[in-house]
Amino acid sequence: MGKTGFEPRIIVFCCNWRAYVGADMAGTSRLQYSPNIRIIRVMCCGRMDPTFVLSAFSWGADGVMILGCHPGDCNYLKGNFMAERRIQFLRQALKHMGIEEERLKLDWVSASEGHKFAYLANEMVGKLEKLGPIKPRLEETVDAFRTERLRWVMGLAHMEPKIEKKRYFAKTGEIMRDEIERQTIIGKIKEKGPMTVRELSEATNIATDRILRHIIALRKVGTISEAGEKEDEYLYQVM
Amino acid sequence: MGEKPAVLVVGGGVSGIQASLDLASRGIKVYLVEKSPSIGGRMAQLDKTFPTMDCSMCILAPKMIECAHHPNVQLLTYSELREVKGSVGNFAVEVLKKPRYVDETKCTGCGICSEHCPSEVPNEFDMNLGIRKAIYMPFPQAVPRVMTVDKENCINCGLCEKVCGAQAVDLEQRAEEIELDVGSIILATGFDLFDPAGLPAYGYGRYKDVITSLELERLLCASGPTGGHLVRPSDGKMPKSVAFIQCVGSRDKRLGTAYCSSICCKYSIKDAVLIKEHIPDARVNIFYIDMRAFGRGFQDFVNRAKTEYGISFIRSSPGEITQDPAEKNLILWFEDIATNSVQKLNFDLVVLCPALLPSKGNEKLAELLGIEVDKYGFFKAPNLIANPVDTTVPGIFASGYCLGPKTGDIPDSITQGSATAARVAEVLAEAS
Amino acid sequence: MSKENRIGVFVCHCGVNIGSVVDVSSVVKFAETLPEVAYAEENMYLCSEAGLESIKDAIAKHGLNKVVIAACTPRTHEILLKEACQEAGINPYLLEIANIREQCSWVHLNEPKKATEKAKDIVRMAVEKVRLLEPLEEPEIGVNESVLVVGGGVSGLTAALSLANQDIDVFMIEKEADVGGVARTLNEVYPTFQKASDIVEPFIKAAKAHKKIKIFTSTTLKDIKGFAGNFHVTAQSEKNPIELDVGAIIVACGAWNYEPAKGMYQYGVHKGVVTHLELEKMLREGTLKKPERVVMIQCVGSRTGELWGYEIPSLVQSDAARLLTKLLAKKEEGWPHCSKICCMNSVKNAILIKKLYPEADVCILYSDLRTYKGYEDFYTNARDLEVRFIKYDLETPPKVVQGPKGKLNVTVYEPLAGREIDFISDLVVLATPLIPSKDGILLSRMLKVPLAPDGFFMEAHPKVKPVGVHSEGVFVVGTASGPRDIPESIASAKAAAAKVSTFISKRKLKTEGIIAAVDSDLCIGCGMCEELCPYGAAKIEENKSKITEVLCRGCGICAAECPKQAITMRHFTDKQILAQVRAALAG
């Protein structure tokens, strides 16, 4: 229990074969830890879609942990490597959204490591008590991670030998920022109805020329179109 | 009775297209070489043409399609001239076909690859205002109707290859060296715009709302990035006050562009009228030194612009453009010759009409071909009056703006295109 | 129109394990308020006969069609509870277990209020998931009843004969001109000094004569398609292509013997330096001339160098070319594993040489003398014959240079004595390890079966599944899965034969319910799933992803990566997991 009375809420995704068993082991050994965590079982941490993590944050989780098998030990051979790469990718987005790095943790717990599980739970609670509750709204980032463009580019992280690495890393940052901003724009229009470039800029804190650039891109694929005029500006609606 | 020799046309703008069609319809084989992925040139980028306000692409597209289908025209797009040997009647030419990483014989131009490509790039055809992908077609009416991969921006993810229904993507494609034997060569390489960043007082590059006339064309064009809705690039606002500044970089001895580019006054009136049609309550001012709206129908054009559209013509060469930090509007400072004082006016958008320069590749081409250029870099016609389309080397001709501003406008370019075709036919008849 | 959910929630006291910390009654009351919960009850011991009856009764009485059981970890009684549900007419995949013991009451013993709140959250999470669960089937597919054995060495022959004797059809593919493998080139083996040929020849004869075994020699494998129970194999013999349909595959392609790099201990430079395999040949053919001094050096090219392990994380997907390059690179670097059999082999050869030429001085330079499995007497036997054993440290290996009169000069630092010893020797024998073979690597790519960090085939589980691999229907025997001696190889081959015959006798294979499913309308054929599936279960056919259900193990990597979110993981769908997340944060 934090001094401020703030009780962090933590979601822990455990893989069925090792981490979940490790959590059970903590129970069997009667190790005690803070009751702030809620465990969700998945077959493999490789199942972790970034939208699960982002949704958790956007719905109020102050911290998220993903626990899988130790490297080399994955029941499905390489699910944990996949998860690691994916989370690395996701972390860039979290930076954009102003979410502190410590709120997301990826770690390895074997079936016999009840102690480690309890330790990680308590450690996370302690960290979050210091950081305080999570602030930003994140639905648009979740939506960005549902777009084909961002998901395809994320998957490419696993295909190292084939892609043009330098350009890939340079483009990834751009693409992530673009897609998050675009989903923010779409989200705002859906929320408030047709908006002008300046209104969107004020509502989203994105510079007007960037908004215009996104509008140009989105109208090209038919997501957005003009919806009349408002004084000396065009209104844009979501199709 | 030997086979007629073929002709090489370098440059796929309207001038080169016209020359090609004329020659082809006389039964002469034409190789049309164009360095960009599609023919069409500058005319394809325009919205409407002066003084008749015809839709530019509507006039051009049928000619482009004819080129594509004509049995005597072979299009070599995304290609460049590498080497030339020989003489009139017998030129041995080497053309480098750059790899577009797409098999032209299989690609149907459906565009599905482009939809899925994750890599976005500013679209050069839209003067970098619009967006294209690393695999792209420069504009929807492109000829040939195939996609091209811009390897510089491609991350090699291979998604285009996977979604292509025709299996036309070939990321291993190599450049091709094509050797041709031609009897004559026509150059129709057009022009490039003077970069207004060379005149820092106007703030081009510093202020997003100071744009060139070609950028304005793209914004006005219904097939442009904003669908023809005129908005200013900084914030998407409809510009309610627009200034045109003539002679940006032209008639300037310091910059080496002492000539008058000949068409800017005309097109600025056209663009001013278009703006008024889009935004009837906009205030439009044209700042000019001399209003060179010459030729048939143009004085009428000027009069209509003043009376019917309320466009104001201010005789002055503006000194500087600054920005109001609060409102973000542009402030244009100019000398009012009438009152002999320095004035300023606010504008939402400023359009610069830059000098038209010889195409960037002209110097190299001249060297390759051994022809002379004039002091401005345009191809020299040694016998300017009698043989206006000849160059200094027999058998090599030029047409369109690459000859310089003496080519006034589109009708001039088309006329010259046909003229060169005629010259070529003569010369080939002599040589055989 | 989907049927209405009628969820039953059963909360267990588990004696005092849960009941003494969590207020079970209030959890039950809370459960009753949750959407679509038609019934909730508490019980002392749900896993008891009475408890299970109570569940079944409630299902019948209240027309329940989905069940949530809040009790101990699913890992104890999930199967029991699933059966109970099935007996009551509910598809076993419509059961969700809420863990309120190991992950609640036992870890919050001193915070009963918070534990109770947490238990309620856990029940709510389970209810939200179960609302979205779909009944799943475990379809069966037919199994082809013949077997392919790749490799005709002693392991392959053993497996083939064992199966054939159980009346199972066996096809054997052997790349050399005749079967028999490495055993044919060996001399006498430890500990019995039997001739290797005496052991393997009867196998060869029997296999060739057996009606149920068809042997293809001078044949190499080209491709393997399909999956467990239904493999389609393409091979190429000298003249003809061969196509086979089999139900199971036994990999018996053996291992390579490490060949030292030229110059290593003067190997390839001086003809007096040989590997122990070459020595076997000399002994077998009787071409060993009387040596004055034989020096055997153990651990040449083993217990050194790096694992080629996880530098390539997706081992299954790494292409053959890269792996083969690594294989070659290891020639200089050496291999990190201990090859187990070389110490015994050298001691055996030392004894043989001493018996042939009693005056010869035989020295074994060893790092750790691994006369394993109670072959200690072997070692004492050798010492009795005056074979000299000299220890060296791996960090300071012996040096071999050209010596006087065309002989070799061997120097070694002996740590026990603390000094350097010098030998003049006319025969230096390098004990080199068994290493992964090129055939094994290519085969692992073809079968989409991973290699372990040491380069040999990765066993499904080194303890409980030593002959299986991560793919169903494929078994690895003999030295292909690591250094082994002949009896061990034979044992592994028989074990695999037993497993295969069980596999085949079932005639049908049940697939798991928790597998991937593709929405073809969304799929754009980008191939990400095919790239990443560890089991080769996802393939692009006609521009759409197709999942081979029997190969899918339900890891969910494809679902997490699909750019169009076109793939669902049954029983762990995006919606189901997100419903649990929402429910966890709803309180």
Side-chain angles (χ1 to χ4, degrees):
Chain A
M1 171 87 157
K3 296 193 185 90
T4 54
F6 161 55
E7 291 278 15
R9 300 202 287 175
I10 302 162
I11 305 279
V12 181
F13 294 94
C14 284
C15 83
N16 182 58
W17 303 95
R18 313 266 188 268
Y20 190 89
V21 183
D24 279 348
M25 185 56 79
T28 317
S29 315
R30 308 292 194 282
L31 299 169
Q32 304 295 297
Y33 53 83
S34 298
N36 308 59
I37 67 166
R38 298 290 179 268
I39 295 173
I40 294 179
R41 186 171 66 128
V42 288
M43 292 310 279
C44 177
C45 60
R47 173 77 188 91
M48 288 306 299
D49 192 309
T51 55
F52 299 166
V53 175
L54 293 167
S55 295
F57 281 130
S58 83
W59 290 331
D62 302 295
V64 173
M65 284 209 289
I66 301 166
L67 301 177
C69 313
H70 284 269
D73 201 25
C74 177
N75 194 61
Y76 300 100
L77 310 176
K78 54 179 183 171
N80 45 11
F81 290 116
M82 302 271 114
E84 196 171 34
R85 280 222 169 98
R86 225 177 284 145
I87 298 302
Q88 252 175 10
F89 191 91
L90 175 59
R91 282 196 187 278
Q92 288 181 57
L94 293 181
K95 248 195 230 154
H96 274 297
M97 307 314 293
I99 296 189
E100 301 92 330
E101 224 188 66
E102 299 96 321
R103 293 193 187 272
L104 175 62
K105 191 168 174 77
L106 173 67
D107 212 322
W108 320 120
V109 172
S110 78
S112 56
E113 288 183 309
H115 277 96
K116 186 168 181 189
F117 183 88
Y119 173 79
L120 287 172
N122 285 331
E123 184 192 55
M124 179 62 111
V125 173
K127 271 202 206 129
L128 291 175
E129 279 171 353
K130 289 204 189 81
L131 279 178
I134 191 163
K135 281 183 215 86
R137 277 198 46 114
L138 289 171
E139 289 287 355
E140 52 275 344
T141 319
V142 185
D143 289 331
F145 272 83
R146 289 198 222 278
T147 61
E148 179 200 313
R149 191 173 173 219
L150 193 52
R151 290 178 75 88
W152 169 253
V153 170
M154 174 179 77
L156 292 179
H158 304 302
M159 303 212 267
E160 270 186 296
K162 293 188 193 165
I163 55 168
E164 198 1 281
K165 253 201 203 155
K166 255 192 237 150
R167 238 175 269 145
Y168 169 73
F169 285 122
K171 288 260 171 188
T172 305
E174 265 177 50
I175 291 174
M176 198 179 288
R177 189 177 172 203
D178 275 354
E179 289 304 319
I180 292 175
E181 289 182 353
R182 284 173 199 180
Q183 292 303 318
T184 311
I185 291 172
I186 292 172
K188 276 282 174 263
I189 295 179
K190 281 190 175 155
E191 192 191 319
K192 302 200 170 157
M195 292 172 80
T196 66
V197 169
R198 282 202 256 184
E199 285 171 344
L200 281 167
S201 178
E202 261 162 70
T204 62
N205 264 334
I206 300 171
T208 49
D209 62 327
R210 276 190 79 81
I211 300 260
L212 183 59
R213 188 172 150 264
H214 291 316
I215 299 273
I216 288 176
L218 288 168
R219 74 186 296 291
K220 189 168 182 182
V221 291
T223 310
I224 271 185
S225 73
E226 283 78 8
E229 297 170 25
K230 182 176 177 178
E231 289 163 16
D232 54 2
E233 289 189 82
Y234 288 103
L235 285 164
Y236 297 96
Q237 65 185 347
V238 172
M239 299 304 285
Chain B
M1 202 70 155
E3 220 186 82
K4 288 196 206 100
V7 177
L8 179 74
V9 175
V10 182
V14 66
S15 198
I17 288 173
Q18 187 61 53
S20 303
L21 287 173
D22 280 358
L23 287 167
S25 53
R26 292 164 101 111
I28 297 175
K29 170 104 191 183
V30 178
Y31 298 105
L32 179 50
V33 171
E34 163 58 47
K35 73 176 184 235
S36 72
S38 167
I39 58 174
R42 294 291 173 202
M43 200 176 160
Q45 291 179 289
L46 304 179
D47 180 25
K48 297 200 164 56
T49 60
F50 56 69
T52 48
M53 303 305 249
D54 294 305
C55 150
S56 180
M57 185 52 90
C58 307
I59 321 174
L60 183 62
K63 288 191 196 281
M64 285 168 66
I65 293 174
E66 221 191 311
C67 266
H69 290 311
H70 205 297
N72 286 335
V73 176
Q74 189 178 332
L75 289 177
L76 293 166
T77 53
Y78 214 50
S79 303
E80 287 174 5
L81 189 56
R82 271 302 147 106
E83 217 185 330
V84 178
K85 290 198 181 81
S87 62
V88 60
N90 230 322
F91 288 107
V93 157
E94 194 184 286
V95 172
L96 181 74
K97 196 165 183 356
K98 298 183 286 190
R100 57 195 336 147
Y101 305 99
V102 170
D103 185 344
E104 286 178 47
T105 62
K106 291 187 184 156
C107 176
T108 61
C110 72
I112 209 169
C113 51
S114 205
E115 270 175 50
H116 290 284
C117 173
S119 180
E120 269 181 15
V121 185
N123 188 349
E124 300 88 345
F125 185 80
D126 282 335
M127 301 311 288
N128 291 343
L129 290 168
I131 288 174
R132 64 164 172 85
K133 301 290 185 74
I135 186 169
Y136 69 109
M137 196 186 287
F139 52 95
Q141 306 89 338
V143 167
R145 194 179 164 65
V146 297
M147 314 301 284
T148 305
V149 176
D150 164 16
K151 262 301 172 119
E152 287 278 308
N153 282 291
C154 167
I155 57 176
N156 213 38
C157 69
L159 188 54
C160 49
E161 207 164 2
K162 297 207 172 105
V163 297
C164 176
Q167 272 131 18
V169 177
D170 177 7
L171 293 169
E172 306 291 312
Q173 200 180 71
R174 292 183 176 285
E176 230 184 295
E177 277 161 8
I178 303 176
E179 312 217 326
L180 301 167
D181 286 308
V182 297
S184 176
I185 301 176
I186 297 177
L187 302 169
T189 51
F191 62 84
D192 274 322
L193 257 56
F194 166 77
D195 183 355
L199 284 173
Y202 287 153
Y204 181 77
R206 217 160 52 239
Y207 307 127
K208 279 203 141 63
D209 297 329
V210 175
I211 62 176
T212 64
S213 47
L214 255 183
E215 286 165 24
L216 177 68
E217 287 285 340
R218 297 314 300 153
L219 288 170
L220 287 168
C221 193
S223 63
T226 55
H229 296 100
L230 181 60
V231 298
R232 62 178 194 170
S234 67
D235 64 2
K237 178 166 129 56
M238 279 183 247
K240 287 295 167 87
S241 50
V242 184
F244 283 83
I245 303 183
Q246 301 303 102
C247 306
V248 173
S250 294
R251 305 177 67 182
D252 193 332
K253 284 214 178 85
R254 284 172 305 141
L255 295 169
T257 54
Y259 56 88
C260 161
S261 297
S262 122
I263 57 170
C264 332
C265 288
K266 295 185 191 178
Y267 75 58
S268 66
I269 301 173
K270 169 203 78 174
D271 283 335
V273 167
L274 283 174
I275 292 175
K276 285 295 266 181
E277 281 179 350
H278 282 234
I279 307 173
D281 59 343
R283 164 172 54 89
V284 182
N285 300 85
I286 300 183
F287 293 84
Y288 70 98
I289 304 174
D290 294 288
M291 185 47 50
R292 292 179 174 179
F294 52 89
R296 293 181 68 175
F298 282 101
Q299 188 54 52
D300 189 43
F301 203 37
V302 174
N303 294 341
R304 280 174 59 218
K306 282 186 184 159
T307 55
E308 259 180 66
Y309 291 94
I311 293 165
S312 126
F313 289 75
I314 301 179
R315 192 194 200 113
S316 173
S317 183
E320 201 186 348
I321 297 178
T322 57
Q323 190 180 49
D324 177 335
E327 291 292 306
K328 298 286 185 209
N329 281 338
L330 297 166
I331 308 174
L332 195 147
W333 300 83
F334 64 100
E335 198 189 328
D336 184 357
I337 296 179
T339 60
N340 213 2
S341 58
V342 171
Q343 299 275 329
K344 65 176 165 93
L345 272 177
N346 281 355
F347 288 100
D348 287 336
L349 184 69
V350 173
V351 182
L352 304 176
C353 301
L356 303 185
L357 306 176
S359 195
K360 284 192 188 64
N362 268 18
E363 211 179 294
K364 195 158 163 244
L365 263 181
E367 234 175 289
L368 262 181
L369 296 160
I371 58 177
E372 280 177 43
V373 294
D374 69 12
K375 66 179 172 188
Y376 300 116
F378 295 107
F379 296 130
K380 199 169 181 184
N383 207 343
L384 190 54
I385 298 178
N387 284 329
V389 295
D390 283 37
T391 65
T392 51
V393 171
I396 304 184
F397 304 95
S399 99
Y401 211 95
C402 62
L403 282 170
K406 69 179 196 271
T407 305
D409 47 19
I410 292 169
D412 286 342
S413 295
I414 292 180
T415 312
Q416 281 176 358
S418 294
T420 43
R423 280 295 288 137
V424 165
E426 288 164 32
V427 153
L428 289 182
E430 279 169 34
S432 67
Chain C
M1 200 179 87
S2 61
K3 222 171 81 176
E4 198 194 84
N5 284 332
R6 290 184 60 79
I7 303 169
V9 180
F10 301 85
V11 189
C12 190
H13 279 255
C14 192
V16 296
N17 285 306
I18 295 176
S20 66
V21 179
V22 172
D23 180 351
V24 173
S25 309
S26 78
V27 176
V28 170
K29 275 208 192 62
F30 171 76
E32 283 167 353
T33 67
L34 294 172
E36 301 195 287
V37 170
Y39 175 75
E41 82 174 23
E42 56 188 276
N43 202 298
M44 237 345 115
Y45 290 104
L46 280 172
C47 54
S48 64
E49 275 299 326
L52 293 172
E53 281 305 315
S54 179
I55 295 174
K56 288 189 262 187
D57 282 344
I59 290 174
K61 189 165 168 201
H62 300 274
L64 304 175
N65 54 21
K66 287 183 179 175
V67 174
V68 167
I69 293 183
C72 54
T73 174
R75 295 177 60 257
T76 40
H77 295 308
E78 188 168 37
I79 296 180
L80 196 65
L81 294 162
K82 273 187 169 177
E83 274 173 15
C85 288
Q86 237 171 334
E87 283 165 24
I90 294 186
N91 181 293
Y93 286 92
L94 295 175
L95 163 70
E96 182 71 10
I97 296 179
N99 184 337
I100 59 172
R101 189 182 74 173
E102 280 86 340
Q103 293 179 4
C104 189
S105 67
W106 274 354
V107 288
H108 308 309
L109 292 168
N110 300 318
E111 297 185 89
K113 274 215 195 83
K114 295 224 168 109
T116 305
E117 288 311 304
K118 180 169 171 177
K120 289 180 184 169
D121 274 356
I122 295 175
V123 167
R124 177 181 33 234
M125 287 161 72
V127 167
E128 287 302 318
K129 179 165 178 184
V130 97
R131 286 175 74 187
L132 298 171
L133 286 178
E134 301 276 335
L136 296 177
E137 298 305 323
E138 293 169 344
E140 291 179 334
I141 54 157
V143 167
N144 186 304
E145 293 176 29
S146 52
V147 182
L148 173 71
V149 176
V150 183
V154 71
S155 305
L157 290 166
T158 307
L161 283 167
S162 180
L163 287 167
N165 288 337
Q166 294 179 61
D167 217 30
I168 294 174
D169 283 305
V170 180
F171 300 104
M172 177 178 283
I173 289 185
E174 166 56 52
K175 72 171 196 265
E176 301 294 345
D178 199 359
V179 295
V182 171
R184 277 188 133 169
T185 66
L186 297 178
N187 182 33
E188 291 168 19
V189 296
Y190 65 79
T192 56
F193 292 100
Q194 277 169 283
K195 280 206 181 329
S197 49
D198 286 347
I199 298 173
V200 80
E201 285 302 333
F203 290 173
I204 297 176
K205 218 164 150 201
K208 284 184 175 169
H210 209 299
K211 281 198 313 266
K212 284 283 185 177
I213 302 179
K214 189 154 168 43
I215 302 179
F216 299 95
T217 49
S218 301
T219 301
T220 44
L221 265 182
K222 286 286 157 202
D223 194 18
I224 299 178
K225 284 192 165 55
F227 47 88
N230 292 279
F231 290 109
H232 183 79
V233 177
T234 334
Q236 180 73 36
S237 79
E238 273 170 334
K239 304 164 210 136
N240 325 309
I242 297 168
E243 308 238 345
L244 299 166
D245 287 300
V246 294
I249 299 179
I250 296 185
V251 172
C253 61
W256 274 0
N257 206 271
Y258 174 75
E259 198 189 304
K262 185 168 176 183
M264 203 185 259
Y265 298 113
Q266 302 296 318
Y267 182 78
V269 173
H270 191 295
K271 62 179 166 51
V273 180
V274 297
T275 64
H276 55 175
L277 202 58
E278 286 163 354
L279 178 64
E280 292 277 328
K281 187 170 184 214
M282 286 158 73
L283 287 169
R284 197 181 82 236
E285 292 173 356
T287 56
L288 179 66
K289 293 199 185 58
K290 177 173 173 190
E292 266 189 51
R293 176 178 291 122
V294 182
V295 175
M296 298 185 177
I297 306 180
Q298 300 305 103
C299 307
V300 170
S302 60
R303 305 178 67 195
T304 175
E306 298 289 315
L307 280 180
W308 77 354
Y310 298 103
E311 183 225 282
I312 308 175
S314 56
L315 290 170
V316 175
Q317 303 302 331
S318 309
D319 61 48
R322 279 180 87 198
L323 291 178
L324 291 175
T325 313
K326 286 204 85 128
L327 187 64
L328 283 171
K330 281 233 160 270
K331 199 172 176 126
E332 291 295 329
E333 203 187 293
W335 291 80
H337 60 271
C338 159
S339 189
K340 188 160 96 169
I341 58 174
C342 338
C343 284
M344 278 303 293
N345 206 37
S346 291
V347 174
K348 167 209 78 174
N349 284 337
I351 294 175
L352 283 172
I353 294 175
K354 271 296 206 184
K355 288 210 168 123
L356 262 180
Y357 303 111
E359 293 97 50
D361 184 19
V362 180
C363 309
I364 298 184
L365 307 183
Y366 71 93
S367 170
D368 293 280
L369 199 65
R370 294 177 172 173
T371 47
Y372 61 110
K373 278 205 207 154
Y375 290 147
E376 195 62 16
D377 342 342
F378 217 67
Y379 170 55
T380 23
N381 194 351
R383 293 205 80 135
D384 288 341
L385 289 170
E386 287 176 51
V387 172
R388 289 207 276 162
F389 290 87
I390 294 152
K391 183 171 165 61
Y392 74 88
D393 274 332
L394 282 175
E395 291 89 42
T396 49
K399 291 196 184 56
V400 178
V401 297
Q402 311 249 19
K405 298 199 192 118
K407 300 203 182 197
L408 295 150
N409 195 328
V410 181
T411 328
V412 65
Y413 175 78
E414 196 189 16
L416 299 174
R419 63 193 169 97
E420 241 182 29
I421 310 183
D422 235 346
F423 299 99
I424 303 290
S425 161
D426 41 345
L427 180 65
V428 171
V429 182
L430 305 176
T432 48
L434 284 177
I435 60 171
S437 68
K438 178 176 167 186
D439 306 301
I441 289 172
L442 292 173
L443 198 50
S444 83
R445 300 305 81 173
M446 255 190 255
L447 288 166
K448 292 205 173 33
V449 156
L451 301 171
D454 58 9
F456 291 98
F457 280 89
M458 187 190 266
E459 301 120 321
H461 193 295
K463 286 205 170 54
V464 300
K465 284 190 177 172
V467 293
V469 291
H470 284 272
S471 281
E472 285 253 23
V474 177
F475 301 87
V476 182
V477 299
T479 51
S481 60
R484 289 193 160 128
D485 55 29
I486 293 177
E488 287 166 351
S489 293
I490 292 178
S492 73
K494 287 200 192 271
K499 291 248 176 293
V500 168
S501 69
T502 317
F503 180 72
I504 285 183
S505 69
K506 276 193 255 189
R507 298 235 165 86
K508 287 196 191 304
L509 198 59
K510 231 184 189 193
T511 64
E512 275 197 45
I514 301 176
I515 53 174
V518 180
D519 181 344
S520 293
D521 291 332
L522 289 173
C523 174
I524 57 170
C526 74
M528 185 69 82
C529 50
E530 190 179 54
E531 232 354 278
L532 301 179
C533 175
Y535 301 98
K539 286 255 152 71
I540 302 294
E541 280 172 26
E542 284 168 30
N543 245 26
K544 295 279 179 191
S545 171
K546 183 161 182 329
I547 309 275
T548 306
E549 296 192 345
V550 72
L551 285 178
C552 174
R553 302 306 213 78
C555 65
I557 289 174
C558 54
E561 296 287 350
C562 176
K564 303 297 284 185
Q565 297 193 294
I567 303 185
T568 316
M569 236 23 244
R570 296 203 183 117
H571 209 71
F572 288 92
T573 65
D574 278 16
K575 282 207 184 82
Q576 287 160 4
I577 294 177
L578 287 171
Q580 288 183 283
V581 174
R582 233 195 237 280
L585 297 165

